[in-house]
Amino acid sequence: MRKQIAAANWKMNLTLQQAETLMDELFATPLELSENQEAVFGVPFPYLISIKNKLAGKKNVYVAAQNCYDKKSGAYTGEVSAEMLNSIGTDYVIIGHSERREYFNESHAMLAAKVNICIENGLKPIFCCGEPLAIREAGTESSFVEMQLKESLFHLSAEQLTGFVIAYEPIWAIGTGKTASNEQAQEMHAHIRKVLSDQYGVVVADSISILYGGSVKANNAADIFSQPDVDGGLVGGASLLAADFTAIINSLK
Ligand code: PGA
């Protein structure tokens, strides 16, 4: 049974003090995560160690970095390597978020290299894909997302892709309060799984957790997560509020 995951993406928000308060509020009552459910906290680099410490001894909870560099080490002032992230106990790395593709010009090839270096260093990528509004309006979102997967993931082996995590985040739904409908989310998630199945076989495709992202809130999470090919969510704004993110975690299948 593939994992059902509620992943927080704090983006560039919160001071350390605010972050620690948020975690204390979240864990004031123990989270109820079953065997196949996980909560993941995608936090800014400077907070990874502190938040990891807050999670110590708790079950099925993990930390994620929001990015890493695609080179091993060396003269890359200001960058953070996968090896460094692994050395501080990071579990996951969000790779290819649309904000990084757009504002930092991350190419398909660069994202493929980032995925590789994460895997080499024992980090689990959460690979993001999703179309902009113009592509959705043109009706070509399926082939657009398929191209994103092919360009950055299809060099991987079946073994490397087994148990992988992908987040489908339509750009027009991120931070806009406008979620994809249940039908739109299910349709794209099923398409992603079909594309993976055609390339890697049904067993690998069925092992991959496909998260939905884009204005997931406490009041719509259960509906979206109930779709058969939606295995949880990657959550921005609503992950900054303890009560809301708790409700989202409790909405996992
Ligand atoms: P949002 O962000 O939940 O605020 O729309 C989601 C994301 O960008 O991962």
Side-chain angles (χ1 to χ4, degrees):
M1 199 178 190
R2 57 180 174 260
K3 295 239 176 303
Q4 305 295 306
I5 302 171
N9 177 10
W10 289 359
K11 309 193 180 184
M12 196 175 73
N13 291 299
L14 307 176
T15 62
L16 178 61
Q17 292 71 29
Q18 290 168 333
E20 290 186 331
T21 303
L22 171 60
M23 295 304 277
D24 290 341
E25 285 171 8
L26 254 164
F27 288 99
T29 37
L31 295 180
E32 285 168 31
L33 291 160
S34 66
E35 259 327 290
N36 74 320
Q37 296 175 336
E38 292 184 359
V40 177
F41 295 89
V43 309
F45 290 132
Y47 308 160
L48 279 164
I49 293 179
S50 159
I51 300 304
K52 178 83 185 176
N53 288 339
K54 290 240 176 241
L55 301 179
K58 299 185 169 66
K59 270 186 67 184
N60 297 354
V61 289
Y62 300 96
V63 286
Q66 299 173 12
N67 180 34
C68 71
Y69 201 44
D70 64 342
K71 303 284 190 294
K72 195 171 168 354
S73 63
Y76 302 104
T77 303
E79 290 298 328
V80 173
S81 74
E83 188 179 27
M84 292 172 189
L85 293 175
N86 179 49
S87 74
I88 61 168
T90 307
D91 305 292
Y92 285 95
V93 185
I94 299 171
I95 296 289
H97 190 281
S98 60
E99 287 151 17
R100 297 220 50 94
R101 292 177 190 258
E102 182 179 351
Y103 306 139
F104 303 95
N105 298 318
E106 295 195 354
S107 66
H108 303 303
M110 181 187 245
L111 299 180
K114 288 188 178 194
V115 166
N116 289 346
I117 207 153
C118 281
I119 293 173
E120 279 163 26
N121 285 280
L123 299 164
K124 296 185 214 164
I126 298 175
F127 179 80
C128 301
C129 58
E131 79 286 356
L133 184 60
I135 295 287
R136 171 65 63 169
E137 284 175 348
T140 53
E141 66 274 7
S142 298
S143 54
F144 183 89
V145 168
E146 191 170 334
M147 176 271 297
Q148 290 180 317
L149 300 175
K150 285 189 171 152
E151 293 288 331
S152 301
L153 296 184
F154 274 23
H155 62 283
L156 297 174
S157 67
E159 192 187 348
Q160 286 171 321
L161 261 191
T162 300
F164 206 85
V165 182
I166 291 174
Y168 167 61
E169 301 202 300
I171 297 171
W172 45 271
I174 295 177
T176 58
K178 190 174 177 225
T179 43
S181 66
N182 294 343
E183 294 72 27
Q184 285 171 323
Q186 170 54 25
E187 195 181 4
M188 182 61 84
H189 284 230
H191 176 64
I192 292 171
R193 209 176 300 286
K194 164 95 171 45
V195 168
L196 294 164
S197 176
D198 289 347
Q199 182 73 11
Y200 290 96
V202 67
V203 175
V204 174
D206 275 345
S207 76
I208 295 175
S209 300
I210 308 176
L211 317 185
Y212 169 80
S215 299
V216 174
K217 305 288 178 205
N219 62 7
N220 61 21
D223 259 6
I224 300 175
F225 297 173
S226 72
Q227 300 302 305
D229 284 293
V230 178
D231 306 310
L234 180 57
V235 185
S239 73
L240 300 171
L241 302 164
D244 289 35
F245 195 56
T246 305
I248 291 168
I249 292 169
N250 290 336
S251 303
L252 288 171
K253 285 200 277 279

